[in-house]
Amino acid sequence: MATDLRPAYADIDQKLFDVDQIPMTTRDVRSVGEMLFDVDYLARQLLMDVGGDDAGALLRSWPTMVAAAEDLWASLPGRRPGVDERDRPITSLSAQAATIEASLTGRKAWPGQGPTNPHLDQMTQTLLNAAALVRRYGAEIPHEQTEAHRDLEAARTRIMHGLYLTAHAVNVALHDNGRDRVNDARQSGRRVHLAQHHSPYAVAPTGAWIDRMTACENTARSYLSDRFAQALAGEAIRPVADPSRLTHALANWDIQSHRALARQLEPSNILLITRTQGLIAGASMVLVDAAATAGILEPSDRLVPAIADAGRSWSNLASRWGDLAPPGARIQEPLARAAAEVRASYRQITHDTTTLAGPEVIAGRPGLSQAVTATLRAVGAGSELAVVVAERADNPSLTGPARALSRRAHNDVESGLATPPAEGDVVWVSPADILAKRLVPLPPPVTETLRAASDATMDAASTASSMASLHLVERALASTASDAKRQPAGPRPDAPQFEPVRLSAGPRR
């Protein structure tokens, strides 16, 4: 269930450019399955990043996401007339979300009116894009066939799993919000009444919302019970129709990441850049292993460890920039779209339904040679990108959420990553700033460890870049030597013949 919406070059310009070097301008060319997988990926990222300060925005975003999921569910072909038992969970979940939305409308008490969560907004938009794609091309799907029926069941399961993970993330945020309230009350000497259900941190005003979100989570879980693995096993795999897809995706990512770093200095954008660079490193190791299996790339005991070290450094740096991103921070849309296409392009080559494919399977897929070249170029370009990101870490006006920076500062000092203060234990962030949820300048330990992580990433990315560039040169030399062996000696029979130019021996004019 996919279509290529990629516009071609103008006819007059088509022959002027090398498509391996100049990326096409694209819209979203992902299939419905790739979009649903990305919703699942974003939900998992949200679950890892979520904190108490996100609870209010997540609650406000939840009903809209459920409505988008229900819209996609209803657009899938093959629905039976009347009441379909398969539709009961999404119908029930939609009704629960509608009551939450009604309770939030015009509400002055917590969480009140305010911004929505950008991560849920991105997931909602992806679901809406998938629904539009299904409505446009769903009539062409032979849903009565067994393979198509299984793929549709996998799509419903993906939708519900994304909602389940998101509902759990909202619940985690609500519990963290209650824990923060309890800790703040104890530090200020106020008494707090602990709840007796779910957890002791399900305190007012979050307790009632925890009950309602737990009901949503249980509804989604009831659909997935004894179904998830079996349903996803029937998911259709999109064949690699465009071997140059990864090349274009990585070229566009390089452009968008540099544009974001030049214009948009928000930590949320840098967080996405560092995470995507870590993903590129991880996927590159898989492709290099498969290329060595296929005989496309010479085995090396230095290339993969260098890329792995760069990937760990990027991931560590991403976790630190994550502390600086305030709740509700928006991500530049072209950057988010480029990152999503990078994830989808890699997954098309490296995965087999829900699991990572083996090197032998990946080695037999078309376009592996182009993919290896593209991913090694991306690893090589990572060293320059690491320098630019490190420059952003030197910005003295950087700020971040008070609570996250306070925790990071104390943890870095206690773990020995930052220089301990000479005067002993220090309160790096004012409790008043934490209670008011202000954005504060970076404490000295956070500044020190952020710069150290940036330096380590530059070193690791530079080493990986050198190794990747060396293998690219070796591939080019091997390809040239192979072409020379196939080329017959002497002039080609069809080569044009030229007479030698005879220079006049007469006087110059």
Side-chain angles (χ1 to χ4, degrees), residues 57-88:
L58 289 172
L59 268 177
R60 290 188 286 268
S61 302
W62 168 251
T64 308
M65 180 183 175
V66 176
E70 185 189 27
D71 181 51
L72 173 56
W73 190 292
S75 68
L76 295 176
R79 298 187 68 188
R80 302 187 187 100
V83 179
D84 193 336
E85 187 66 28
R86 296 175 305 182
D87 298 337
R88 291 188 185 275

PDB file of all heavy atoms in Angstrom, residues 57-88:
ATOM      1  N   ALA A  57       0.771  18.578  28.658  1.00  0.00           N
ATOM      2  CA  ALA A  57       0.741  18.651  27.193  1.00  0.00           C
ATOM      3  C   ALA A  57       0.355  17.314  26.584  1.00  0.00           C
ATOM      4  O   ALA A  57      -0.360  17.255  25.567  1.00  0.00           O
ATOM      5  CB  ALA A  57       2.102  19.103  26.671  1.00  0.00           C
ATOM      6  N   LEU A  58       0.802  16.217  27.171  1.00  0.00           N
ATOM      7  CA  LEU A  58       0.441  14.898  26.661  1.00  0.00           C
ATOM      8  C   LEU A  58      -1.054  14.651  26.787  1.00  0.00           C
ATOM      9  O   LEU A  58      -1.688  14.100  25.867  1.00  0.00           O
ATOM     10  CB  LEU A  58       1.224  13.816  27.401  1.00  0.00           C
ATOM     11  CG  LEU A  58       2.720  13.726  27.103  1.00  0.00           C
ATOM     12  CD1 LEU A  58       3.398  12.742  28.049  1.00  0.00           C
ATOM     13  CD2 LEU A  58       2.961  13.313  25.662  1.00  0.00           C
ATOM     14  N   LEU A  59      -1.631  15.030  27.914  1.00  0.00           N
ATOM     15  CA  LEU A  59      -3.071  14.857  28.098  1.00  0.00           C
ATOM     16  C   LEU A  59      -3.853  15.646  27.051  1.00  0.00           C
ATOM     17  O   LEU A  59      -4.841  15.155  26.493  1.00  0.00           O
ATOM     18  CB  LEU A  59      -3.480  15.313  29.499  1.00  0.00           C
ATOM     19  CG  LEU A  59      -3.504  14.260  30.609  1.00  0.00           C
ATOM     20  CD1 LEU A  59      -3.850  14.908  31.931  1.00  0.00           C
ATOM     21  CD2 LEU A  59      -4.487  13.152  30.280  1.00  0.00           C
ATOM     22  N   ARG A  60      -3.429  16.854  26.787  1.00  0.00           N
ATOM     23  CA  ARG A  60      -4.139  17.679  25.807  1.00  0.00           C
ATOM     24  C   ARG A  60      -4.000  17.128  24.390  1.00  0.00           C
ATOM     25  O   ARG A  60      -4.872  17.350  23.539  1.00  0.00           O
ATOM     26  CB  ARG A  60      -3.626  19.119  25.873  1.00  0.00           C
ATOM     27  CG  ARG A  60      -4.033  19.860  27.145  1.00  0.00           C
ATOM     28  CD  ARG A  60      -3.661  21.328  27.084  1.00  0.00           C
ATOM     29  NE  ARG A  60      -2.226  21.536  27.240  1.00  0.00           N
ATOM     30  CZ  ARG A  60      -1.613  21.763  28.399  1.00  0.00           C
ATOM     31  NH1 ARG A  60      -2.338  21.814  29.523  1.00  0.00           N
ATOM     32  NH2 ARG A  60      -0.310  21.954  28.454  1.00  0.00           N
ATOM     33  N   SER A  61      -2.924  16.414  24.112  1.00  0.00           N
ATOM     34  CA  SER A  61      -2.691  15.875  22.766  1.00  0.00           C
ATOM     35  C   SER A  61      -3.330  14.515  22.551  1.00  0.00           C
ATOM     36  O   SER A  61      -3.579  14.120  21.407  1.00  0.00           O
ATOM     37  CB  SER A  61      -1.181  15.765  22.498  1.00  0.00           C
ATOM     38  OG  SER A  61      -0.537  17.002  22.623  1.00  0.00           O
ATOM     39  N   TRP A  62      -3.578  13.781  23.623  1.00  0.00           N
ATOM     40  CA  TRP A  62      -4.034  12.399  23.506  1.00  0.00           C
ATOM     41  C   TRP A  62      -5.341  12.246  22.726  1.00  0.00           C
ATOM     42  O   TRP A  62      -5.428  11.410  21.803  1.00  0.00           O
ATOM     43  CB  TRP A  62      -4.140  11.783  24.898  1.00  0.00           C
ATOM     44  CG  TRP A  62      -4.847  10.469  24.957  1.00  0.00           C
ATOM     45  CD1 TRP A  62      -6.080  10.224  25.489  1.00  0.00           C
ATOM     46  CD2 TRP A  62      -4.377   9.212  24.471  1.00  0.00           C
ATOM     47  NE1 TRP A  62      -6.406   8.897  25.364  1.00  0.00           N
ATOM     48  CE2 TRP A  62      -5.385   8.251  24.740  1.00  0.00           C
ATOM     49  CE3 TRP A  62      -3.220   8.804  23.826  1.00  0.00           C
ATOM     50  CZ2 TRP A  62      -5.255   6.918  24.389  1.00  0.00           C
ATOM     51  CZ3 TRP A  62      -3.089   7.466  23.471  1.00  0.00           C
ATOM     52  CH2 TRP A  62      -4.092   6.537  23.755  1.00  0.00           C
ATOM     53  N   PRO A  63      -6.399  12.989  23.009  1.00  0.00           N
ATOM     54  CA  PRO A  63      -7.649  12.781  22.261  1.00  0.00           C
ATOM     55  C   PRO A  63      -7.497  12.996  20.754  1.00  0.00           C
ATOM     56  O   PRO A  63      -8.110  12.277  19.955  1.00  0.00           O
ATOM     57  CB  PRO A  63      -8.605  13.813  22.884  1.00  0.00           C
ATOM     58  CG  PRO A  63      -8.059  14.074  24.247  1.00  0.00           C
ATOM     59  CD  PRO A  63      -6.578  14.002  24.072  1.00  0.00           C
ATOM     60  N   THR A  64      -6.688  13.964  20.358  1.00  0.00           N
ATOM     61  CA  THR A  64      -6.505  14.226  18.929  1.00  0.00           C
ATOM     62  C   THR A  64      -5.802  13.064  18.243  1.00  0.00           C
ATOM     63  O   THR A  64      -6.141  12.695  17.107  1.00  0.00           O
ATOM     64  CB  THR A  64      -5.697  15.515  18.725  1.00  0.00           C
ATOM     65  OG1 THR A  64      -6.299  16.575  19.463  1.00  0.00           O
ATOM     66  CG2 THR A  64      -5.632  15.892  17.264  1.00  0.00           C
ATOM     67  N   MET A  65      -4.832  12.472  18.919  1.00  0.00           N
ATOM     68  CA  MET A  65      -4.135  11.325  18.335  1.00  0.00           C
ATOM     69  C   MET A  65      -5.080  10.138  18.183  1.00  0.00           C
ATOM     70  O   MET A  65      -5.060   9.434  17.165  1.00  0.00           O
ATOM     71  CB  MET A  65      -2.933  10.941  19.200  1.00  0.00           C
ATOM     72  CG  MET A  65      -2.164   9.751  18.643  1.00  0.00           C
ATOM     73  SD  MET A  65      -0.796   9.244  19.692  1.00  0.00           S
ATOM     74  CE  MET A  65      -0.247   7.774  18.803  1.00  0.00           C
ATOM     75  N   VAL A  66      -5.919   9.890  19.177  1.00  0.00           N
ATOM     76  CA  VAL A  66      -6.869   8.780  19.085  1.00  0.00           C
ATOM     77  C   VAL A  66      -7.846   9.001  17.938  1.00  0.00           C
ATOM     78  O   VAL A  66      -8.198   8.071  17.202  1.00  0.00           O
ATOM     79  CB  VAL A  66      -7.611   8.601  20.418  1.00  0.00           C
ATOM     80  CG1 VAL A  66      -8.680   7.512  20.302  1.00  0.00           C
ATOM     81  CG2 VAL A  66      -6.637   8.243  21.538  1.00  0.00           C
ATOM     82  N   ALA A  67      -8.299  10.253  17.760  1.00  0.00           N
ATOM     83  CA  ALA A  67      -9.209  10.546  16.660  1.00  0.00           C
ATOM     84  C   ALA A  67      -8.550  10.277  15.307  1.00  0.00           C
ATOM     85  O   ALA A  67      -9.187   9.741  14.383  1.00  0.00           O
ATOM     86  CB  ALA A  67      -9.664  12.002  16.745  1.00  0.00           C
ATOM     87  N   ALA A  68      -7.267  10.626  15.165  1.00  0.00           N
ATOM     88  CA  ALA A  68      -6.554  10.347  13.921  1.00  0.00           C
ATOM     89  C   ALA A  68      -6.395   8.846  13.710  1.00  0.00           C
ATOM     90  O   ALA A  68      -6.517   8.350  12.575  1.00  0.00           O
ATOM     91  CB  ALA A  68      -5.189  11.024  13.940  1.00  0.00           C
ATOM     92  N   ALA A  69      -6.120   8.103  14.780  1.00  0.00           N
ATOM     93  CA  ALA A  69      -5.990   6.651  14.665  1.00  0.00           C
ATOM     94  C   ALA A  69      -7.319   6.010  14.274  1.00  0.00           C
ATOM     95  O   ALA A  69      -7.363   5.090  13.448  1.00  0.00           O
ATOM     96  CB  ALA A  69      -5.487   6.069  15.985  1.00  0.00           C
ATOM     97  N   GLU A  70      -8.409   6.502  14.840  1.00  0.00           N
ATOM     98  CA  GLU A  70      -9.727   5.958  14.484  1.00  0.00           C
ATOM     99  C   GLU A  70     -10.058   6.267  13.020  1.00  0.00           C
ATOM    100  O   GLU A  70     -10.641   5.437  12.309  1.00  0.00           O
ATOM    101  CB  GLU A  70     -10.802   6.536  15.392  1.00  0.00           C
ATOM    102  CG  GLU A  70     -12.178   5.920  15.143  1.00  0.00           C
ATOM    103  CD  GLU A  70     -13.275   6.638  15.893  1.00  0.00           C
ATOM    104  OE1 GLU A  70     -13.108   7.830  16.176  1.00  0.00           O
ATOM    105  OE2 GLU A  70     -14.306   5.994  16.182  1.00  0.00           O
ATOM    106  N   ASP A  71      -9.668   7.438  12.568  1.00  0.00           N
ATOM    107  CA  ASP A  71      -9.903   7.805  11.172  1.00  0.00           C
ATOM    108  C   ASP A  71      -9.143   6.877  10.222  1.00  0.00           C
ATOM    109  O   ASP A  71      -9.686   6.428   9.203  1.00  0.00           O
ATOM    110  CB  ASP A  71      -9.480   9.259  10.960  1.00  0.00           C
ATOM    111  CG  ASP A  71      -9.725   9.729   9.540  1.00  0.00           C
ATOM    112  OD1 ASP A  71     -10.844   9.547   9.034  1.00  0.00           O
ATOM    113  OD2 ASP A  71      -8.786  10.285   8.930  1.00  0.00           O
ATOM    114  N   LEU A  72      -7.892   6.570  10.549  1.00  0.00           N
ATOM    115  CA  LEU A  72      -7.120   5.637   9.730  1.00  0.00           C
ATOM    116  C   LEU A  72      -7.727   4.244   9.782  1.00  0.00           C
ATOM    117  O   LEU A  72      -7.843   3.556   8.758  1.00  0.00           O
ATOM    118  CB  LEU A  72      -5.667   5.605  10.213  1.00  0.00           C
ATOM    119  CG  LEU A  72      -4.751   4.557   9.579  1.00  0.00           C
ATOM    120  CD1 LEU A  72      -4.721   4.697   8.057  1.00  0.00           C
ATOM    121  CD2 LEU A  72      -3.346   4.646  10.151  1.00  0.00           C
ATOM    122  N   TRP A  73      -8.131   3.819  10.965  1.00  0.00           N
ATOM    123  CA  TRP A  73      -8.739   2.491  11.138  1.00  0.00           C
ATOM    124  C   TRP A  73      -9.979   2.367  10.259  1.00  0.00           C
ATOM    125  O   TRP A  73     -10.178   1.350   9.590  1.00  0.00           O
ATOM    126  CB  TRP A  73      -9.105   2.309  12.606  1.00  0.00           C
ATOM    127  CG  TRP A  73      -9.533   0.931  13.013  1.00  0.00           C
ATOM    128  CD1 TRP A  73     -10.674   0.279  12.637  1.00  0.00           C
ATOM    129  CD2 TRP A  73      -8.840   0.023  13.884  1.00  0.00           C
ATOM    130  NE1 TRP A  73     -10.745  -0.951  13.226  1.00  0.00           N
ATOM    131  CE2 TRP A  73      -9.626  -1.133  13.999  1.00  0.00           C
ATOM    132  CE3 TRP A  73      -7.647   0.104  14.595  1.00  0.00           C
ATOM    133  CZ2 TRP A  73      -9.268  -2.214  14.787  1.00  0.00           C
ATOM    134  CZ3 TRP A  73      -7.280  -0.971  15.386  1.00  0.00           C
ATOM    135  CH2 TRP A  73      -8.072  -2.122  15.479  1.00  0.00           C
ATOM    136  N   ALA A  74     -10.816   3.403  10.267  1.00  0.00           N
ATOM    137  CA  ALA A  74     -12.055   3.364   9.490  1.00  0.00           C
ATOM    138  C   ALA A  74     -11.797   3.385   7.989  1.00  0.00           C
ATOM    139  O   ALA A  74     -12.630   2.915   7.201  1.00  0.00           O
ATOM    140  CB  ALA A  74     -12.939   4.543   9.885  1.00  0.00           C
ATOM    141  N   SER A  75     -10.660   3.931   7.572  1.00  0.00           N
ATOM    142  CA  SER A  75     -10.367   4.026   6.142  1.00  0.00           C
ATOM    143  C   SER A  75      -9.799   2.737   5.571  1.00  0.00           C
ATOM    144  O   SER A  75      -9.743   2.582   4.340  1.00  0.00           O
ATOM    145  CB  SER A  75      -9.374   5.167   5.897  1.00  0.00           C
ATOM    146  OG  SER A  75      -8.097   4.855   6.449  1.00  0.00           O
ATOM    147  N   LEU A  76      -9.380   1.794   6.415  1.00  0.00           N
ATOM    148  CA  LEU A  76      -8.813   0.542   5.912  1.00  0.00           C
ATOM    149  C   LEU A  76      -9.891  -0.250   5.185  1.00  0.00           C
ATOM    150  O   LEU A  76     -11.025  -0.383   5.679  1.00  0.00           O
ATOM    151  CB  LEU A  76      -8.236  -0.289   7.066  1.00  0.00           C
ATOM    152  CG  LEU A  76      -7.035   0.309   7.795  1.00  0.00           C
ATOM    153  CD1 LEU A  76      -6.633  -0.575   8.974  1.00  0.00           C
ATOM    154  CD2 LEU A  76      -5.845   0.494   6.854  1.00  0.00           C
ATOM    155  N   PRO A  77      -9.570  -0.807   4.025  1.00  0.00           N
ATOM    156  CA  PRO A  77     -10.587  -1.549   3.263  1.00  0.00           C
ATOM    157  C   PRO A  77     -10.890  -2.890   3.903  1.00  0.00           C
ATOM    158  O   PRO A  77     -10.163  -3.388   4.769  1.00  0.00           O
ATOM    159  CB  PRO A  77      -9.922  -1.730   1.894  1.00  0.00           C
ATOM    160  CG  PRO A  77      -8.457  -1.680   2.170  1.00  0.00           C
ATOM    161  CD  PRO A  77      -8.292  -0.726   3.324  1.00  0.00           C
ATOM    162  N   GLY A  78     -12.013  -3.467   3.475  1.00  0.00           N
ATOM    163  CA  GLY A  78     -12.373  -4.801   3.936  1.00  0.00           C
ATOM    164  C   GLY A  78     -13.206  -4.837   5.189  1.00  0.00           C
ATOM    165  O   GLY A  78     -13.341  -5.902   5.812  1.00  0.00           O
ATOM    166  N   ARG A  79     -13.790  -3.697   5.583  1.00  0.00           N
ATOM    167  CA  ARG A  79     -14.631  -3.695   6.779  1.00  0.00           C
ATOM    168  C   ARG A  79     -15.959  -4.380   6.486  1.00  0.00           C
ATOM    169  O   ARG A  79     -16.573  -4.198   5.433  1.00  0.00           O
ATOM    170  CB  ARG A  79     -14.889  -2.268   7.260  1.00  0.00           C
ATOM    171  CG  ARG A  79     -13.643  -1.522   7.663  1.00  0.00           C
ATOM    172  CD  ARG A  79     -13.995  -0.184   8.289  1.00  0.00           C
ATOM    173  NE  ARG A  79     -14.645  -0.350   9.572  1.00  0.00           N
ATOM    174  CZ  ARG A  79     -15.194   0.644  10.264  1.00  0.00           C
ATOM    175  NH1 ARG A  79     -15.196   1.860   9.759  1.00  0.00           N
ATOM    176  NH2 ARG A  79     -15.754   0.425  11.423  1.00  0.00           N
ATOM    177  N   ARG A  80     -16.440  -5.144   7.449  1.00  0.00           N
ATOM    178  CA  ARG A  80     -17.729  -5.822   7.294  1.00  0.00           C
ATOM    179  C   ARG A  80     -18.861  -4.846   7.590  1.00  0.00           C
ATOM    180  O   ARG A  80     -18.710  -3.930   8.394  1.00  0.00           O
ATOM    181  CB  ARG A  80     -17.814  -7.004   8.252  1.00  0.00           C
ATOM    182  CG  ARG A  80     -16.697  -8.034   8.082  1.00  0.00           C
ATOM    183  CD  ARG A  80     -16.944  -9.250   8.947  1.00  0.00           C
ATOM    184  NE  ARG A  80     -15.826 -10.174   8.921  1.00  0.00           N
ATOM    185  CZ  ARG A  80     -14.917 -10.253   9.864  1.00  0.00           C
ATOM    186  NH1 ARG A  80     -14.979  -9.445  10.910  1.00  0.00           N
ATOM    187  NH2 ARG A  80     -13.927 -11.117   9.786  1.00  0.00           N
ATOM    188  N   PRO A  81     -20.008  -5.018   6.956  1.00  0.00           N
ATOM    189  CA  PRO A  81     -21.151  -4.133   7.254  1.00  0.00           C
ATOM    190  C   PRO A  81     -21.674  -4.366   8.665  1.00  0.00           C
ATOM    191  O   PRO A  81     -21.565  -5.456   9.226  1.00  0.00           O
ATOM    192  CB  PRO A  81     -22.188  -4.543   6.194  1.00  0.00           C
ATOM    193  CG  PRO A  81     -21.825  -5.941   5.814  1.00  0.00           C
ATOM    194  CD  PRO A  81     -20.328  -6.010   5.918  1.00  0.00           C
ATOM    195  N   GLY A  82     -22.210  -3.318   9.249  1.00  0.00           N
ATOM    196  CA  GLY A  82     -22.750  -3.419  10.598  1.00  0.00           C
ATOM    197  C   GLY A  82     -21.665  -3.341  11.642  1.00  0.00           C
ATOM    198  O   GLY A  82     -20.602  -2.765  11.439  1.00  0.00           O
ATOM    199  N   VAL A  83     -21.918  -3.933  12.791  1.00  0.00           N
ATOM    200  CA  VAL A  83     -20.985  -3.901  13.906  1.00  0.00           C
ATOM    201  C   VAL A  83     -19.934  -4.992  13.724  1.00  0.00           C
ATOM    202  O   VAL A  83     -20.273  -6.175  13.611  1.00  0.00           O
ATOM    203  CB  VAL A  83     -21.720  -4.091  15.247  1.00  0.00           C
ATOM    204  CG1 VAL A  83     -20.718  -4.080  16.404  1.00  0.00           C
ATOM    205  CG2 VAL A  83     -22.756  -2.989  15.437  1.00  0.00           C
ATOM    206  N   ASP A  84     -18.704  -4.596  13.649  1.00  0.00           N
ATOM    207  CA  ASP A  84     -17.596  -5.529  13.472  1.00  0.00           C
ATOM    208  C   ASP A  84     -16.885  -5.678  14.816  1.00  0.00           C
ATOM    209  O   ASP A  84     -16.474  -4.696  15.435  1.00  0.00           O
ATOM    210  CB  ASP A  84     -16.633  -5.003  12.415  1.00  0.00           C
ATOM    211  CG  ASP A  84     -15.645  -6.081  11.964  1.00  0.00           C
ATOM    212  OD1 ASP A  84     -15.415  -7.021  12.741  1.00  0.00           O
ATOM    213  OD2 ASP A  84     -15.107  -5.963  10.849  1.00  0.00           O
ATOM    214  N   GLU A  85     -16.726  -6.910  15.236  1.00  0.00           N
ATOM    215  CA  GLU A  85     -16.089  -7.157  16.532  1.00  0.00           C
ATOM    216  C   GLU A  85     -14.666  -6.599  16.579  1.00  0.00           C
ATOM    217  O   GLU A  85     -14.197  -6.177  17.636  1.00  0.00           O
ATOM    218  CB  GLU A  85     -16.073  -8.669  16.802  1.00  0.00           C
ATOM    219  CG  GLU A  85     -15.584  -9.050  18.200  1.00  0.00           C
ATOM    220  CD  GLU A  85     -16.538  -8.580  19.289  1.00  0.00           C
ATOM    221  OE1 GLU A  85     -17.743  -8.466  19.007  1.00  0.00           O
ATOM    222  OE2 GLU A  85     -16.060  -8.325  20.414  1.00  0.00           O
ATOM    223  N   ARG A  86     -13.990  -6.560  15.438  1.00  0.00           N
ATOM    224  CA  ARG A  86     -12.624  -6.039  15.411  1.00  0.00           C
ATOM    225  C   ARG A  86     -12.588  -4.545  15.724  1.00  0.00           C
ATOM    226  O   ARG A  86     -11.558  -4.022  16.140  1.00  0.00           O
ATOM    227  CB  ARG A  86     -12.004  -6.279  14.041  1.00  0.00           C
ATOM    228  CG  ARG A  86     -11.829  -7.732  13.660  1.00  0.00           C
ATOM    229  CD  ARG A  86     -11.323  -7.843  12.240  1.00  0.00           C
ATOM    230  NE  ARG A  86     -12.188  -7.129  11.304  1.00  0.00           N
ATOM    231  CZ  ARG A  86     -11.992  -7.088   9.979  1.00  0.00           C
ATOM    232  NH1 ARG A  86     -10.938  -7.708   9.471  1.00  0.00           N
ATOM    233  NH2 ARG A  86     -12.803  -6.416   9.185  1.00  0.00           N
ATOM    234  N   ASP A  87     -13.724  -3.852  15.478  1.00  0.00           N
ATOM    235  CA  ASP A  87     -13.743  -2.401  15.653  1.00  0.00           C
ATOM    236  C   ASP A  87     -14.102  -1.967  17.068  1.00  0.00           C
ATOM    237  O   ASP A  87     -14.006  -0.778  17.381  1.00  0.00           O
ATOM    238  CB  ASP A  87     -14.744  -1.774  14.677  1.00  0.00           C
ATOM    239  CG  ASP A  87     -14.368  -2.030  13.225  1.00  0.00           C
ATOM    240  OD1 ASP A  87     -13.172  -2.276  12.979  1.00  0.00           O
ATOM    241  OD2 ASP A  87     -15.262  -1.991  12.359  1.00  0.00           O
ATOM    242  N   ARG A  88     -14.532  -2.907  17.898  1.00  0.00           N
ATOM    243  CA  ARG A  88     -14.987  -2.518  19.239  1.00  0.00           C
ATOM    244  C   ARG A  88     -13.879  -1.849  20.059  1.00  0.00           C
ATOM    245  O   ARG A  88     -14.129  -0.827  20.714  1.00  0.00           O
ATOM    246  CB  ARG A  88     -15.543  -3.730  19.990  1.00  0.00           C
ATOM    247  CG  ARG A  88     -16.851  -4.257  19.419  1.00  0.00           C
ATOM    248  CD  ARG A  88     -17.456  -5.330  20.316  1.00  0.00           C
ATOM    249  NE  ARG A  88     -18.639  -5.920  19.714  1.00  0.00           N
ATOM    250  CZ  ARG A  88     -19.862  -5.401  19.810  1.00  0.00           C
ATOM    251  NH1 ARG A  88     -20.038  -4.271  20.490  1.00  0.00           N
ATOM    252  NH2 ARG A  88     -20.883  -6.005  19.241  1.00  0.00           N
TER     253      ARG A  88
END
